[in-house]
Amino acid sequence: FGSSYQLGCPRVWLPPPASRMGERGRQYAGLVTTWVEEKGYGFISPSDSKLGGDLFVHIDAIRDRGVQGLKRGDRVKFDVELNTNPTKNSGKKFAVNVEIDRGKRGGGGGGGGGG
């Protein structure tokens, strides 16, 4: 599924092309339900119930590099990808290209509470 290429010395894994991703290419909306600032990850509850339950989100999936984290209650927009790594989470969906819906966040950047 995925591919890799040489970037200097290390091999870098690339996810499969968007054409192989079920929900990819459509942006979704949701609400941050949990954010663990110390670990840099959390969960988003998607507005679209067809996506199933909460989606995992990692700090590296936040599009704006100036944002240091999310806060519980933040409204966000995001794309969805399917985890194809051979791990216990293989086949699970997760959020990528996450953007804070600027009109729906109280205050500016910064991380937030745990959960």
Side-chain angles (χ1 to χ4, degrees):
F1 284 103
S3 61
S4 60
Y5 65 93
Q6 292 291 91
L7 180 66
C9 292
R11 275 179 90 76
V12 177
W13 183 85
L14 295 175
S19 61
R20 295 186 197 155
M21 304 284 188
E23 288 81 13
R24 181 90 189 238
R26 174 180 171 208
Q27 197 165 50
Y28 294 90
L31 183 71
V32 176
T33 57
T34 304
W35 185 257
V36 184
E37 186 172 350
E38 302 79 33
K39 302 214 176 193
Y41 72 84
F43 295 89
I44 296 172
S45 178
S47 299
D48 187 339
S49 61
K50 293 177 186 173
L51 288 175
D54 288 358
L55 301 171
F56 177 82
V57 59
H58 189 268
I59 193 161
D60 291 339
I62 300 173
R63 190 175 269 180
D64 181 353
R65 294 293 170 212
V67 174
Q68 299 299 309
L70 300 172
K71 293 181 183 177
R72 185 170 187 229
D74 279 348
R75 296 224 174 256
V76 292
K77 295 177 185 176
F78 56 92
D79 294 324
V80 174
E81 287 191 3
L82 190 62
N83 185 346
T84 58
N85 287 335
T87 66
K88 67 178 183 175
N89 292 320
S90 182
K92 293 188 178 180
K93 297 172 185 172
F94 62 99
V96 296
N97 300 323
V98 178
E99 296 179 279
I100 296 169
D101 191 342
R102 294 287 175 196
K104 302 188 179 171
R105 182 177 195 175

